[in-house]
Amino acid sequence: SDGSIRLHQMTSEYPLMQWNDSTNGQPIIALQWALTRPAVFFVLDASSNIYIWDLLENDLLPVAKETFPSENVVTMTVLGEPEKPKGLLGIVLAKEHGQVDIQFVKKKWAIP
């Protein structure tokens, strides 16, 4: 609810990493790992911002942020084909009025 993200290992109750205020205090609505690249995950906050994290590129801050200010995004999920070497990866965004958008992710965050 405060925008904090914690990365846990299943064998410990303490996080391996913790990012406080990662969304400027906005509640996190959804968090999804990339299906094609294990070090990448996506965060959707309550203000319809999507943050892209690539832990191999930067483990302190998101590497990109996409804002959808005029559209209320209520949830997201990630799609991809992990078994294919081309690394096609997309984000499905569900908006408040029932519209669904698919955004494809840059290859540098999608390739295995």
Side-chain angles (χ1 to χ4, degrees), residues 5-8 14-19 55 59-60:
I5 299 171
R6 292 172 197 85
L7 177 64
H8 283 268
Y14 302 104
L16 294 172
M17 295 283 295
Q18 181 168 328
W19 300 276
L55 299 179
D59 64 358
L60 298 176

Side-chain angles (χ1 to χ4, degrees), residues 87-98:
L88 180 65
L89 182 66
I91 303 172
V92 181
L93 306 172
K95 298 179 182 174
E96 186 175 44
H97 298 293

Side-chain angles (χ1 to χ4, degrees), residues 53-98:
W53 290 76
D54 183 345
L55 299 179
L56 296 177
E57 186 177 328
N58 186 341
D59 64 358
L60 298 176
L61 299 167
V63 293
K65 175 184 173 184
E66 185 70 33
T67 302
F68 299 89
S70 62
E71 307 167 35
N72 191 14
V73 180
V74 295
T75 194
M76 73 168 183
T77 193
V78 176
L79 59 88
E81 298 176 315
E83 66 279 354
K84 301 221 174 155
K86 292 192 181 197
L88 180 65
L89 182 66
I91 303 172
V92 181
L93 306 172
K95 298 179 182 174
E96 186 175 44
H97 298 293

Side-chain angles (χ1 to χ4, degrees), residues 27-69:
I28 294 173
I29 304 298
L31 188 148
Q32 295 277 310
W33 285 97
L35 300 173
T36 58
R37 188 176 172 97
V40 173
F41 64 93
F42 306 90
V43 175
L44 170 66
D45 74 11
S47 293
S48 299
N49 297 306
I50 295 178
Y51 302 84
I52 301 173
W53 290 76
D54 183 345
L55 299 179
L56 296 177
E57 186 177 328
N58 186 341
D59 64 358
L60 298 176
L61 299 167
V63 293
K65 175 184 173 184
E66 185 70 33
T67 302
F68 299 89

